[in-house]
Amino acid sequence: MAKKENKYKKYGIATQAIHTGTDYDEETGAVRRPLHMANSYKLPDDLSQVNYSSTDLLMYSRNGNPNQHWLEEKIAALHNADDAIVLASGVAALHALFWTLLKTGDRVVYPAVSYMAVYRLFHELFNHKFGVETVMVDMTDLNAVKRAITSGTKLIHIETPDNPTNGVTDIEEIVKIAHQHGALVSVDNTFASPFNQKPLEYGADFVVEALTKYINGHGDAQGGAIISNDLETMDRIRYEAQVNVGSVISPFNAWQIFRGSVTFPLRMKRINESAQQIAEWLENRDNVTFVSYPGLKSNKGHEIAKKQMNNGYGGVISFGVSSDDKTVECFCAALKVITFAVSLGHDESLIFPQPSYDERIHLYPEQFRNGFIRFSVGLEEPEDLINDFDQALRAVGL
Ligand SMILES: *Cc1c(COP(=O)(O)O)cnc(C)c1O
């Protein structure tokens, strides 16, 4: 697709989040662009030039729709990038990228701690179905990454901070290793969000965001994005994964995420501040065995996070309590403000235990193997969240 000029480039992120991708509606003058729920668009009179597998012409909703395109402009702007592709979910975006870049015989290096679907795609599917050589490494150990990379390595995929342990990976160092060997780097930036971290500025080739989380921010729409300056590969992704696999986003979800993203920088600022305050409180609370939050000075990844996370450290706090799985569940159930549910980055705070019988628990650092809980800070008063933690911990005798 032709690169769209970002008229708001010289402005700050909050201004861009409001203005990029929006305009007056041409037909009515409305100050909001409409939601176009159409499957098809009027064809040109001369069909000889129409390419039915392209995304250049509005023709059929799977080839692209206006709400998707407007959101793509905004997501690209949030990353100071030339292009973004918005798809049906974060996992659809991850799959679209991997599906387009990798073929039989290629090698991909991926993190021992990552989003569940990345583990499934590389540990079970791409290797067995397509003969892609998939190598899992601890991305915080740069020597291990150097040992894992060979001349056949096409891609190093990283996630920082990672889900669910909040481990930090040095983007610049991974890029150096990868590019020396002719490999590409993709970064899952969902935990940090573009408010805090823009991996393209550290040399990454591709960024993936689950828009479902912070960018939509209201827990009511699913979407994902790939962001890059490599326009040629981005067009291949559109062709191979969007048009011919079908992972396009619905116009309605794109419209909803567009609306949610207007307040994204404001929400992120608040979430960064609350998370820092709550992480510091948890660190000093009896019966809390560890707190993994990149904003804590005691955190192993703090120095790297300081270098690459420029506005704050995000809204996820991974922590542990000195207890067994059943008591952890009772603790989560005893919370009165915080919601006991999966996902993260919503307006409401969410909590999700990571039980010791989880199939991937052996891949996490030692301290995460008992009483491990993932908490996503919402927009409530931080004092209310702290008090809620305290009462629920007491309720289960902690
Ligand atoms: C949630 C999440 C995803 C997947 O996004 P979906 O919209 O749920 O498909 C990918 N990566 C990370 C780090 C996530 O937290």
Side-chain angles (χ1 to χ4, degrees):
M1 273 218 323
K3 183 181 148 189
K4 271 259 183 172
E5 194 207 345
N6 174 10
K7 285 192 291 186
Y8 298 94
K9 206 175 176 107
K10 65 173 188 233
Y11 300 106
I13 192 165
T15 308
Q16 294 205 36
I18 293 167
H19 290 286
T20 313
T22 194
D23 208 337
Y24 296 108
D25 173 38
E26 275 175 26
E27 197 178 322
T28 62
V31 298
R32 291 289 178 274
R33 277 172 156 172
L35 165 61
H36 287 296
M37 289 301 289
N39 287 355
S40 323
Y41 294 81
K42 188 187 171 306
L43 287 166
D45 294 346
D46 173 10
L47 290 181
S48 63
Q49 301 304 312
V50 174
N51 172 356
Y52 295 95
S53 294
S54 131
T55 56
D56 288 343
L57 177 72
L58 283 172
M59 169 180 55
Y60 186 58
S61 192
R62 178 160 34 77
N63 299 57
N65 59 74
N67 294 98
Q68 177 200 30
H69 293 168
W70 297 329
L71 180 56
E72 287 175 344
E73 279 179 49
K74 175 148 37 184
I75 301 300
L78 295 178
H79 278 274
N80 295 328
D82 290 341
D83 200 5
I85 302 171
V86 169
L87 298 172
S89 67
V91 168
L94 287 163
H95 171 268
L97 181 69
F98 302 152
W99 168 254
T100 305
L101 291 181
L102 300 170
K103 61 178 188 327
T104 305
D106 286 342
R107 185 177 171 104
V108 59
V109 178
Y110 72 103
V113 185
S114 70
Y115 191 67
M116 181 58 128
V118 171
Y119 174 77
R120 292 264 179 262
L121 286 170
F122 290 144
H123 190 68
E124 290 173 25
L125 300 171
F126 271 73
N127 51 348
H128 295 139
K129 290 170 86 82
F130 306 128
V132 173
E133 197 187 346
T134 61
V135 183
M136 182 194 282
V137 299
D138 173 1
M139 289 291 173
T140 63
D141 178 352
L142 294 174
N143 286 324
V145 179
K146 282 179 194 154
R147 282 195 301 274
I149 195 164
T150 58
S151 59
T153 305
K154 183 80 200 189
L155 178 70
I156 302 187
H157 176 73
I158 62 174
E159 195 174 298
T160 183
D162 68 46
N163 191 350
T165 69
N166 242 340
V168 176
T169 297
D170 191 323
I171 303 170
E172 245 176 345
E173 290 300 321
I174 296 288
V175 166
K176 252 189 236 163
I177 298 169
H179 288 180
Q180 269 167 12
H181 290 82
L184 298 165
V185 174
S186 56
V187 182
D188 187 328
N189 199 55
T190 302
F191 267 36
S193 89
F195 186 75
N196 292 327
Q197 179 173 279
K198 297 180 176 64
L200 297 181
E201 293 179 353
Y202 297 93
D205 301 286
F206 301 94
V207 177
V208 175
E209 294 274 355
L211 305 178
T212 314
K213 313 288 173 54
Y214 292 108
I215 293 179
N216 177 54
H218 294 77
D220 54 8
Q222 193 140 37
I226 304 163
I227 301 105
S228 177
N229 296 323
D230 176 351
L231 301 182
E232 212 179 296
T233 306
M234 291 293 269
D235 276 347
R236 268 183 56 216
I237 297 171
R238 287 188 165 93
Y239 172 76
E240 294 187 25
Q242 178 184 311
V243 178
N244 291 310
V245 177
S247 53
V248 71
I249 192 167
S250 139
F252 180 65
N253 283 7
W255 178 86
Q256 224 165 352
I257 294 169
F258 192 96
R259 188 184 198 279
S261 66
V262 166
T263 55
F264 156 68
L266 265 181
R267 287 184 282 103
M268 216 56 222
K269 184 168 187 291
R270 159 88 171 186
I271 283 172
N272 284 338
E273 287 166 4
S274 297
Q276 185 72 34
Q277 185 182 340
I278 295 165
E280 286 171 11
W281 180 83
L282 280 169
E283 202 175 30
N284 291 313
R285 175 68 165 75
D286 287 346
N287 298 319
V288 171
T289 48
F290 70 90
V291 181
S292 175
Y293 183 67
L296 291 175
K297 288 195 181 66
S298 61
N299 192 264
K300 188 170 157 242
H302 182 63
E303 289 305 314
I304 299 166
K306 238 169 54 182
K307 180 176 78 163
Q308 63 196 26
M309 300 181 82
N310 303 127
N311 269 328
Y313 302 97
V316 177
I317 302 170
S318 303
F319 69 101
V321 292
S322 51
S323 201
D324 54 29
D325 292 330
K326 192 67 214 161
T327 311
V328 168
E329 275 176 39
C330 292
F331 158 69
C332 292
L335 292 160
K336 293 179 175 147
V337 178
I338 297 160
T339 305
F340 187 8
V342 297
S343 200
L344 55 107
H346 292 187
D347 44 3
E348 84 268 49
S349 294
L350 297 164
I351 200 152
F352 178 47
Q354 312 277 316
S356 61
Y357 53 81
D358 186 284
E359 71 174 281
R360 293 190 303 162
I361 208 87
H362 65 282
L363 298 172
Y364 302 162
E366 185 81 40
Q367 64 181 1
F368 291 82
R369 296 179 196 170
N370 256 311
F372 170 25
I373 300 165
R374 190 191 71 192
F375 173 59
S376 165
V377 180
L379 298 169
E380 301 94 336
E381 300 298 341
E383 293 76 15
D384 290 336
L385 300 173
I386 286 171
N387 290 335
D388 200 24
F389 272 136
D390 199 47
Q391 70 77 21
L393 284 169
R394 285 172 200 281
V396 296
L398 293 173

